Amino acid sequence: LSEDTVASIYDSIRDDMELRASSQNRMLTVTFPPDLPTIPADRSSLSEVVSNLIDNALKYSSEGGLVAVSANAKDNNFVTVTIQDHGIGMPGNVVGNLFHKFYRSHRSRETVAGTGIGLYICKAIVESHGGKIGVSSVEGEGSTFSFTVPIYASVADKLQANDHTNAGLISTGDGWIKNHSKYT
């Protein structure tokens, strides 16, 4: 993992995200504070997470809908990245299953193409960076996906002690993906 910024990770996919938004007639806003702390990142993996979450938000938004991407560091040890849409939203029974491999609700299977593996992989990548991912949603009002990544300064010692691998960042115990560190 290397010291990086959320803004530069997004910049690596910016053109693709803007093209997807415009081709689907959606509005995309991205706001990152200039003083956001750096994070330990495998840029390719985290850009995949951000891309997948934005792509999902675009797919499940209404024509002309807004998808807002933002980040903050309200917690001293983590940067939180948030992707919010005002689309179709989800009922509670769907939210509880979202991060399971191959899960797709009956409604999304009927209306949107996909395999049901994207959010499962996002969860594995975020956890392999020492963070967490979650969602809140109201049916008919939209969804907000958020994930955290440690602030680089809070884990720099662990990274140096482990040759800049994620070994010191992954929490063990209730891990539902036993080998998820291999995803970064």
Side-chain angles (χ1 to χ4, degrees):
L1 302 177
S2 303
E3 187 172 11
D4 211 338
T5 66
V6 172
S8 64
I9 291 167
Y10 177 75
D11 283 344
S12 71
I13 60 170
R14 175 188 306 274
D15 292 344
D16 185 37
M17 295 298 98
E18 290 175 354
L19 180 62
R20 289 182 196 192
S22 67
S23 69
Q24 295 179 46
N25 196 27
R26 309 292 193 267
M27 294 182 296
L28 177 63
T29 64
V30 180
T31 309
F32 301 131
D35 61 345
L36 198 63
T38 59
I39 59 172
D42 175 283
R43 181 179 286 198
S44 175
S45 296
L46 280 184
S47 67
E48 184 177 338
V49 171
V50 175
S51 175
N52 186 287
L53 294 177
I54 292 172
D55 191 47
N56 284 348
L58 294 170
K59 282 194 263 187
Y60 293 103
S61 290
S62 304
E63 179 91 8
L66 172 67
V67 173
V69 181
S70 61
N72 68 63
K74 291 179 183 169
D75 177 338
N76 289 337
N77 294 318
F78 291 90
V79 168
T80 302
V81 178
T82 303
I83 294 88
Q84 180 180 25
D85 69 62
H86 302 282
I88 63 172
M90 298 172 276
N93 64 323
V94 170
V95 170
N97 291 308
L98 278 181
F99 297 101
H100 293 151
K101 188 171 20 175
F102 303 122
Y103 177 77
R104 303 211 52 228
S105 73
H106 71 283
R107 187 170 55 176
S108 68
R109 284 192 306 263
E110 295 168 359
T111 59
V112 177
T115 62
I117 195 80
L119 292 175
Y120 176 80
I121 291 172
C122 286
K123 182 173 175 80
I125 291 169
V126 168
E127 289 181 352
S128 74
H129 279 75
K132 296 190 181 310
I133 190 169
V135 60
S136 63
S137 187
V138 176
E139 192 169 11
E141 294 181 22
S143 302
T144 301
F145 283 82
S146 296
F147 69 90
T148 61
V149 181
I151 291 173
Y152 187 84
S154 72
V155 295
D157 293 343
K158 288 180 184 178
L159 289 169
Q160 289 171 357
N162 290 294
D163 198 27
H164 287 272
T165 67
N166 60 352
L169 303 182
I170 301 171
S171 60
T172 56
D174 66 346
W176 59 282
I177 302 176
K178 300 302 179 205
N179 66 344
H180 66 283
S181 64
K182 293 180 181 176
Y183 284 96
T184 60

